[in-house]
Amino acid sequence: MISFSRYLPILSWGRHYDRSALSNDMVAAVIVTIMLIPQSLAYALLAGLPPEAGIYASIAPIMLYAIFGTSRALAVGPVAVVSLLTASAIGQVAEAGTAGYAIAALTLAGVSGVFLLLLGVFRLGFLANFLSHPVIAGFITASGILIATSQLKHILGVSAHGHTLPEMLGSLLAHLDQINWITVVIGTSATGFLFWVRGNLKPLLKGLGAGPLLTDLVAKSGPVAAVVATTLAVWAFGLDQAGVSVVGSVPQSLPPLTLPGLSPDLISALLVPAILISVIGFVESISVAQTLAAKKRQRVDPDQELIGLGAANLGAAFTGGFPVTGGFSRSIVNFDAGAETPAAGIYTAIGLAIASFALTPLVFYLPQATLAATIIVAVLSLVDFSILKKTWGYARADFTAVVSTILLTLGMGVEVGVASGVAISILLHLYKTSRPHVAEVGLVPGTQHFRNVKRHAVETSPHVLSLRVDESLYFVNARFLETLVQSRVTTGCDIKDVVLMFSAVNEVDFSALESLEAINLRLIDMGVGLHLSEVKGPVMDRLQRTHFIDELNGDVFLSQFDAWTHLMSAKPTAR
């Protein structure tokens, strides 16, 4: 049972499921379902797919995640950034509105699902760490701007296109003569109302004495109210005949069984976008899941989360959906509404299934401008320019990474933005570790502690150079240490011994070993001893497998103080 529970978390939490959890999960499911109906339709629109695809992508994936996922509160389904990435990816292989476009969306979900499952099975979740937080923040901010801009055409009622910010703005300006002012009124009114609901409705209800449950339910129903009001207005006044674009006919059915495209050419064309979508989706999902789990002292297994998200995406691929991941806003709502177990997701899926079968005729007159307003209000919360100020004040390299990611995403599209974000994250790490901090240290008087000579009043000796290496040594920075030691031990100086303090060194790769050997040989030629201190066990184990320790022109000391005491016993000290 333990081994099955590891891969099927439902067997773990399901054994302790009780009436109290059922009640809390049902309440959360009602609130999230109300929120998801307009949101799912809107994100399908963003992905360039029929509106029902958003509903379909929110049913089977949620159920599958509830079985395989480990988060008690994560709500899986279409999200803004992944929907934008989906539109960008499949728009390059098929034309929107065609059968090939829908098949490409299914294939993209399927490839993403397989990739996530493989990462989970082989426990490779750590690969997502190659995306630094500043780069992720920059990409999400730029994506929020792109998504909001892409929806302006629906607010204005014009035909526009483009995948980058300059393309979108240029296309909008070129079609300003097509503006439908009735659509503008509907879109701006819905946007203003939704912003008001988000910021003011909950405090107003609390001031009127409403209970927390009623407050949450009414506040989260804001998008539904906008949908109902604008739909009734279009229907009552026949505004669709006046040029207002509406959702139109939506199939009244449960999610169909579908089959992704199996063409090698299609799969190869979507492979890289699928990997990028998987990585971005997983990073967003695991961040939300771990944040919510920490609030209740629960544990989330990143590798099992990969399996859960992989299963969810495969579910979307075979039930008419498109790529999905854990959504930030809906997960927060699910958590705040009191969800105790993933069963809340199952109840949400049942609610959406009922909606897809019974309520879809009611959205025929739903204006696309209202769905666009829903998207704009949702994604603008993703835009966070404060990261620029924070990184500028803390680390200019991180600031450069954020700005580069934002500009590349806005100027060249989301796929280039994601790819460049990964590359920038890796290059940033390589840059930071290529010049490791190496401090000359001395003895703090009256103690056995050694500190940086530039920061503390310490005892040093003109005959002993003690260097504390504050980074693991590998091929990128090996020559840096070699050059540094060479520059400090020059002809005519009084240094007779060099001590490398390895207290912060967790790894020495083969390139670094060769550099240490080169340092040792050069110091031998100069008549200078090379010593090591505070070498960690795993590092020492590896060094002892080579001839380096035997050929070392010095000793290996347990502590820096031992090295100092031994070398000072024959040499005078100076302050």
Side-chain angles (χ1 to χ4, degrees):
M1 181 64 74
I2 294 176
S3 60
F4 277 110
S5 297
R6 176 178 176 181
Y7 294 103
L8 292 172
I10 190 173
L11 298 179
S12 177
W13 59 262
R15 290 198 303 268
H16 309 288
Y17 200 69
D18 55 23
R19 184 173 298 178
S20 174
L22 171 64
S23 175
N24 292 331
D25 287 344
M26 288 291 289
V27 171
V30 170
I31 295 175
V32 174
T33 300
I34 291 173
M35 174 186 179
L36 274 185
I37 292 174
Q39 215 179 63
S40 298
L41 297 172
Y43 290 149
L45 176 71
L46 177 59
L49 293 163
E52 65 269 16
I55 298 290
Y56 297 160
S58 301
I59 297 177
I62 295 179
M63 291 186 168
L64 287 167
Y65 178 81
I67 295 172
F68 294 100
T70 59
S71 172
R72 301 292 182 95
L74 191 69
V76 172
V79 300
V81 174
V82 171
S83 298
L84 177 65
L85 288 168
T86 298
S88 176
I90 60 181
Q92 298 178 19
V93 299
E95 184 178 350
T98 64
Y101 193 91
I103 291 174
L106 299 175
T107 305
L108 187 64
V111 176
S112 297
V114 171
F115 179 72
L116 288 166
L117 278 177
L118 289 175
L119 288 182
V121 170
F122 291 104
R123 308 189 72 79
L124 298 176
F126 68 91
L127 292 176
N129 296 332
F130 284 108
L131 271 175
S132 69
H133 175 71
V135 166
I136 294 173
F139 171 73
I140 291 178
T141 292
S143 296
I145 295 172
L146 286 178
I147 292 169
T149 305
S150 72
Q151 297 307 297
L152 291 178
K153 62 183 179 182
H154 298 297
I155 298 292
L156 299 175
V158 302
S159 299
H161 61 275
H163 296 292
T164 67
L165 187 62
E167 289 175 353
M168 292 178 187
L169 293 178
S171 184
L172 284 172
L173 290 174
H175 293 86
L176 286 180
D177 58 330
Q178 300 176 1
I179 288 180
N180 183 297
W181 291 105
I182 299 177
T183 301
V184 171
V185 171
I186 293 173
T188 54
S189 299
T191 303
F193 172 74
L194 291 175
F195 271 119
W196 178 82
V197 166
R198 172 166 289 200
N200 301 291
L201 183 56
K202 186 176 286 189
L204 176 63
L205 292 173
K206 288 182 178 178
L208 294 175
L213 180 59
L214 179 61
T215 298
D216 279 339
L217 186 61
V218 174
K220 303 309 178 186
S221 301
V224 177
V227 165
V228 171
T230 55
T231 300
L232 287 175
V234 172
W235 170 74
F237 297 105
L239 299 181
D240 57 317
Q241 302 300 318
V244 175
S245 297
V246 297
V247 168
S249 179
V250 177
Q252 190 176 0
S253 67
L254 295 173
L257 291 177
T258 54
L259 185 66
L262 301 177
S263 166
D265 291 338
L266 179 60
I267 293 175
S268 62
L270 296 175
L271 181 59
V272 173
I275 291 174
L276 296 177
I277 287 173
S278 299
V279 172
I280 290 295
F282 173 65
V283 170
E284 179 179 354
S285 178
I286 195 66
S287 299
V288 176
Q290 289 178 335
T291 299
L292 297 179
K295 293 183 178 182
K296 290 189 175 182
R297 297 190 178 185
Q298 295 169 348
R299 179 179 175 274
V300 172
D301 182 351
D303 293 311
Q304 185 61 33
E305 285 297 289
L306 284 165
I307 294 175
L309 292 174
N313 275 279
L314 285 176
F318 287 97
T319 56
F322 56 97
V324 298
T325 192
F328 177 78
S329 59
R330 72 180 62 133
S331 297
I332 295 295
V333 170
N334 196 38
F335 180 86
D336 289 342
E340 290 193 18
T341 72
I346 296 176
Y347 305 144
T348 298
I350 293 173
L352 290 171
I354 295 172
S356 71
F357 189 77
L359 302 181
T360 49
L362 302 179
V363 300
F364 183 94
Y365 292 101
L366 171 59
Q368 290 191 3
T370 302
L371 294 180
T374 302
I375 294 173
I376 290 173
V377 174
V379 300
L380 285 183
S381 63
L382 302 176
V383 178
D384 178 20
F385 287 114
S386 67
I387 190 68
L388 296 174
K389 180 179 180 181
K390 294 174 183 176
T391 52
W392 175 264
Y394 186 75
R396 299 296 167 85
D398 287 328
F399 173 80
T400 302
V402 174
V403 171
S404 300
T405 303
I406 290 176
L407 293 179
L408 286 170
T409 303
L410 293 177
M412 303 186 70
V414 290
E415 289 188 355
V416 173
V418 176
S420 63
V422 174
I424 290 171
S425 295
I426 296 174
L427 290 174
L428 188 61
H429 170 73
L430 294 177
Y431 171 75
K432 290 178 178 178
T433 58
S434 67
R435 300 178 62 83
H437 182 258
V438 179
E440 182 178 349
V441 297
L443 179 65
V444 178
T447 73
Q448 296 184 8
H449 301 293
F450 287 78
R451 293 293 185 269
N452 193 329
V453 298
K454 295 181 179 180
R455 297 177 180 271
H456 302 272
V458 293
E459 296 179 2
T460 60
S461 167
H463 306 292
V464 179
L465 174 65
S466 296
L467 298 176
R468 189 189 68 222
V469 183
D470 293 335
E471 183 67 67
S472 291
L473 297 176
Y474 69 121
F475 66 95
V476 172
N477 60 24
R479 286 298 180 91
F480 176 83
L481 180 63
E482 193 175 333
T483 303
L484 177 64
V485 173
Q486 179 71 22
S487 66
R488 291 290 284 109
V489 184
T490 57
T491 303
C493 73
D494 296 328
I495 295 174
K496 299 300 180 183
D497 293 282
V498 174
V499 184
L500 297 180
M501 187 176 175
F502 272 21
S503 55
V505 177
N506 297 315
E507 177 74 21
V508 175
D509 76 355
F510 190 77
S511 297
L513 172 65
E514 290 184 328
S515 288
L516 291 176
E517 291 174 340
I519 292 171
N520 185 50
L521 290 175
R522 290 173 184 169
L523 293 181
I524 289 175
D525 292 340
M526 296 179 182
V528 177
L530 176 63
H531 311 271
L532 305 179
S533 72
E534 303 190 12
V535 183
K536 294 185 176 181
V539 176
M540 191 64 189
D541 291 341
R542 182 164 292 182
L543 292 178
Q544 287 177 332
R545 298 174 195 165
T546 70
H547 298 291
F548 174 70
I549 298 299
D550 296 332
E551 297 171 355
L552 187 65
N553 187 32
D555 300 307
V556 179
F557 296 95
L558 184 63
S559 70
Q560 181 65 20
F561 184 74
D562 290 343
W564 173 265
T565 302
H566 175 77
L567 297 174
M568 288 301 98
S569 62
K571 300 177 178 66
T573 61
R575 292 183 183 273

